[in-house]
Amino acid sequence: PAAFSSLFQGATRWHGFIALSIVGLLYGDEGVTWMAIVMAVIIPPLNIINVSMLAHFGSGNSNLQEVLLKLVRNPFIIACAVGAFLNLAHIGLPGPLYDVLDILGGGALGLGLLTVGAGLNIHLVLKNRVLVGFGALIRLLGMPGLMFLGCWLFGIGCTARTVAVIAGAVPTAASSFILARQMGGDATLMANLITVQVLLAVVTLPLMMWLSGQGW
């Protein structure tokens, strides 16, 4: 169950900061706007799904009441709810507070990556290479393929389609490791999955972007 929870996170969660940086450089404000829409639609429900899954599989098959309690107390869910409220209420954040939180967020990302690196176990990567390879390919090839299929079914093309494919093709979020550690998932497998995905994405991400631009 713990290994499944890490595979599930590795396949479904994605590194929004990397995706946002790529589309900003390639497509400017239009790309950032499309990616903001993708993030707003996907990230909140995806966090709820993953936290629920970890509460059940990662912590010893919790009952429904325990799962719901962990959901409402989880910092990822709380952050999404607070951010959505501030946005919808048009309250926003004061400039100085925003700058402070922005600096803290940047530091947290770096610390998260360092934590992932510390949890990496090369021996286990080699020992579980089939499992790690499968988890990486599901994320880096399977998810962008699903994104493209969805865009094709709904008639979405051009920049919007490429942005959606990029969201599916980037490696999983570094915070997946922290969530696995906190909620009883297989944190070592999660660290190995993240690292292998980042390395493989150097090849697969440009390939997926090119195929999307060609319309496959």
Side-chain angles (χ1 to χ4, degrees), residues 49-206:
I49 291 169
N50 274 278
V51 170
S52 301
M53 178 273 305
L54 272 163
H56 180 71
F57 289 101
S59 301
N61 297 326
S62 303
N63 58 41
L64 180 59
Q65 183 178 356
E66 291 173 336
V67 170
L68 292 175
L69 183 61
K70 290 175 181 177
L71 269 177
V72 298
R73 294 171 56 186
N74 186 270
F76 288 94
I77 307 301
I78 294 172
C80 286
V82 172
F85 170 76
L86 292 173
N87 189 7
L88 294 174
H90 302 289
I91 297 174
L93 290 172
L97 179 59
Y98 178 88
D99 292 338
V100 170
L101 293 176
D102 187 44
I103 293 171
L104 289 174
L109 176 61
L111 288 173
L113 293 173
L114 285 172
T115 306
V116 170
L120 177 65
N121 189 319
I122 299 297
H123 173 70
L124 287 180
V125 171
L126 298 176
K127 181 180 178 181
N128 300 319
R129 55 186 177 274
V130 174
L131 184 63
V132 173
F134 172 75
L137 292 178
I138 287 291
R139 172 70 234 170
L140 300 177
L141 300 181
M143 291 306 291
L146 286 175
M147 284 289 198
F148 183 88
L149 179 61
C151 290
W152 177 74
L153 289 173
F154 289 98
I156 300 170
C158 301
T159 304
R161 179 181 63 203
T162 303
V163 168
V165 169
I166 290 172
V170 294
T172 192
S175 56
S176 300
F177 174 78
I178 300 169
L179 201 60
R181 283 287 298 271
Q182 289 180 337
M183 300 191 65
D186 191 332
T188 301
L189 176 59
M190 194 72 254
N192 294 340
L193 281 169
I194 294 170
T195 305
V196 170
Q197 285 185 22
V198 169
L199 294 174
L200 292 179
V202 174
V203 176
T204 60
L205 182 54

Side-chain angles (χ1 to χ4, degrees), residues 19-31:
L20 205 56
S21 299
I22 292 172
V23 298
L25 288 171
L26 292 179
Y27 304 112
D29 290 342
E30 181 188 4

